[in-house]
Amino acid sequence: MTTTSTASTASTASPPSASASLDDLTAVLRRLGRVVVAFSGGADSSLLAKVAQDTLGVDSVLCATALSPSLAGAEEADCRSLAEEWGLRWVGVPTSEMEDAAYVANGPDRCARCKSALMDALGPLAATEGATVVLGVNVSDLGDHRPGQAAAAGAGAVFPLVEAGFTKDDIRRLSRELGLRTWDKPAAACLASRLPYGTPVTLGRLAAVEAAESALRSLGFGQLRVRHHGDAARLEVEPTVLAEVVARRDEVVAAVRAAGFRFVALDLEGFRSGSLNRGLSLREPGTISRSGEAS
């Protein structure tokens, strides 16, 4: 029987901050007054959306999910499900990053191009709502190569979880205390993050990654990434299940090859967010400081 992995067991985030509290987060949200939450359905944006609605009321919070080929179908479905469960005022918003040649080229600034497209889509909604766009960026996200943070901040987005001092572990802790089912949901970055820089983003490659990851999750593996290296898929799973992947290699290989890959490789380092950033400077322009300023 496979034990499903959760993101909480694989977390490499900063230790919980004793100063991060629900009161701090609600104070930030009250100051903002009206918000449009960029809602991906992950642990971070889900906590932000739920606390925002509980604090400001449903009429003052609009949750918007960016709909694009880089969003897995299962994630879109879960956003809709969460919105229904929690009574969120929700809308799906198509984004146009695939029309941006710089995004498709998949350089180190890809995430910035994506967040620019997101803000282009959410900006008009925020203007209509008389609201501020807020993202679920947290303290644990700071410092890595994440140019999308700077792009979003430059376009007017605010990061309440950062202002309130929340790490990833704080978010999961508070989400569990509040009874949110997203407290241990595995982290799920956009599908384009599975492609090495310089590999063009195409619908076919995104579909192959989505199909392979979906098949592996159906086998019971939770937190994972399928990195796209042409004909080869490099699997990142939690270190605790590496042996199980090897023991079930026939099933695993069949599942991944059915998605269109010819070769299947298992990364012995295991799952880690942003592994394709290796070789990039961790303090290149495009990261955000604790204060929310770009550097």
Side-chain angles (χ1 to χ4, degrees):
M1 179 70 178
T2 300
T3 301
T4 300
S5 309
T6 63
S8 57
T9 61
S11 174
T12 56
S14 305
S17 170
S19 62
S21 72
L22 178 60
D23 288 343
D24 292 331
L25 181 55
T26 57
V28 173
L29 291 166
R30 287 195 181 98
R31 189 187 75 240
L32 294 172
R34 296 180 63 84
V35 296
V36 172
V37 180
F39 183 59
S40 69
D44 307 338
S45 65
S46 292
L47 176 68
L48 182 58
K50 187 65 166 64
V51 173
Q53 176 169 282
D54 290 348
T55 301
L56 304 175
V58 66
D59 292 336
S60 296
V61 179
L62 177 64
C63 296
T65 299
L67 305 181
S68 79
S70 66
L71 177 68
E75 294 302 316
E76 178 184 345
D78 200 36
C79 286
R80 295 177 183 274
S81 178
L82 287 167
E84 183 176 352
E85 289 174 29
W86 296 346
L88 303 175
R89 193 160 59 97
W90 178 88
V91 63
V93 183
T95 55
S96 58
E97 62 266 29
M98 290 296 290
E99 299 173 13
D100 180 355
Y103 171 86
V104 172
N106 194 19
D109 68 340
R110 183 203 66 242
C111 191
R113 310 300 301 187
C114 179
K115 286 298 186 291
S116 293
L118 173 67
M119 293 303 294
D120 286 345
L122 299 190
L125 289 179
T128 300
E129 294 279 322
T132 300
V133 176
V134 294
L135 273 62
V137 179
N138 64 81
V139 172
S140 299
D141 294 329
L142 307 182
D144 193 6
H145 178 73
R146 296 179 185 240
Q149 296 173 3
V158 173
F159 309 145
L161 294 169
V162 172
E163 291 190 34
F166 274 75
T167 65
K168 175 69 75 173
D169 287 342
D170 291 323
I171 290 166
R172 294 194 183 281
R173 170 183 52 79
L174 181 58
S175 296
R176 188 174 190 179
E177 291 173 0
L178 296 177
L180 307 185
R181 67 171 172 83
T182 52
W183 77 269
D184 65 344
K185 184 176 181 179
C190 78
L191 294 173
S193 67
R194 300 352 181 228
L195 309 184
Y197 295 120
T199 299
V201 179
T202 67
L203 297 179
R205 291 184 176 114
L206 297 178
V209 168
E210 181 177 6
E213 292 190 351
S214 177
L216 291 173
R217 289 194 177 95
S218 72
L219 295 179
F221 299 105
Q223 184 67 82
L224 60 90
R225 294 286 186 270
V226 173
R227 306 295 185 185
H228 194 300
H229 297 274
D231 285 343
R234 175 168 58 86
L235 313 186
E236 294 180 12
V237 299
E238 292 179 285
T240 54
V241 299
L242 284 170
E244 181 179 356
V245 172
V246 173
R248 302 176 64 192
R249 65 182 182 180
D250 289 343
E251 293 176 89
V252 169
V253 169
V256 177
R257 290 191 65 183
F261 294 96
R262 294 180 62 193
F263 306 102
V264 183
L266 177 61
D267 190 322
L268 297 182
E269 289 187 73
F271 167 78
R272 63 262 188 221
S273 294
S275 69
L276 292 174
N277 288 337
R278 183 171 291 177
L280 295 176
S281 168
L282 294 184
R283 292 301 293 174
E284 287 187 12
T287 57
I288 296 290
S289 67
R290 170 74 176 262
S291 66
E293 298 177 351
S295 61

